[in-house]
Amino acid sequence: KLSPGDEALPKWRQKYVTSDIVPYVVIPYDSLRPGRPNDRESREFRDKTGIAMGDVGVVVDGDKTIPVLVADGGPHNKIGEGSLALFDALGDTRCARRLASDPRFCTKVKNYSLGRTVEYILFPGSKINGLTPSNTNRKVSEKALKLYRALGR
């Protein structure tokens, strides 16, 4: 269900999580297309960690704590990728050029790693129902920070 104002977004931006706007992390998920060669390893990651698409967490970088959504899948043997919005929140933008008509969106990405270690803390089974483009960041932030604080950190 869309919130007021969401209907003005292009249809694909209503359906998919937008890297430019939502801080998110990537988990091993080759099985986005079943039968892929590394599907077994991707399932094994989810079975052993309990982490699935839609769960929430935080990325800790020194004194910064950034709420994140698990919103994309990547190679079975790699962990640590994040969205453009996550890199922006870390203070290390990956955008080389922004869209002139809507500077929220990147048109050219710098392709390099962060260059320092950050900590990912993801909460299994923490998926939030009812997310829309206009409430995702707020709801993810509320839930992820609540779960993080419950750890006593």
Side-chain angles (χ1 to χ4, degrees):
K1 182 178 178 186
L2 297 177
S3 294
D6 290 343
E7 61 278 345
L9 296 169
K11 291 287 185 207
W12 70 271
R13 289 203 192 276
Q14 294 174 23
K15 185 175 180 182
Y16 298 100
V17 177
T18 305
S19 178
D20 304 90
I21 295 174
V22 178
Y24 69 72
V25 295
V26 178
I27 61 170
Y29 210 84
D30 269 352
S31 62
L32 288 172
R33 290 180 284 192
R36 296 275 308 244
N38 301 309
D39 181 54
R40 182 183 57 74
E41 289 90 347
S42 296
R43 277 181 291 154
E44 183 178 23
F45 174 83
R46 291 188 305 283
D47 291 346
K48 288 187 175 195
T49 66
I51 303 296
M53 292 294 169
D55 284 341
V56 301
V58 294
V59 173
V60 180
D61 180 25
D63 61 350
K64 291 181 186 175
T65 302
I66 299 140
V68 293
L69 180 66
V70 176
D72 199 0
H76 76 284
N77 60 346
K78 186 175 180 183
I79 200 161
E81 293 182 72
S83 68
L84 293 173
L86 173 58
F87 278 97
D88 287 346
L90 289 167
D92 201 342
T93 189
R94 288 295 174 264
C95 187
R97 185 174 49 242
R98 299 248 171 220
L99 184 64
S101 62
D102 191 344
R104 294 177 302 164
F105 301 107
C106 188
T107 61
K108 184 174 183 182
V109 176
K110 302 173 196 172
N111 189 13
Y112 59 91
S113 297
L114 189 56
R116 64 184 181 277
T117 301
V118 296
E119 182 180 16
Y120 279 40
I121 302 171
L122 305 177
F123 301 102
S126 59
K127 183 177 182 174
I128 303 168
N129 293 318
L131 293 179
T132 67
S134 61
N135 73 18
T136 296
N137 284 349
R138 179 181 53 80
K139 286 190 171 198
V140 167
S141 182
E142 289 169 357
K143 186 162 190 178
L145 291 175
K146 180 180 177 182
L147 291 167
Y148 180 66
R149 287 185 198 113
L151 296 175
R153 296 182 104 184

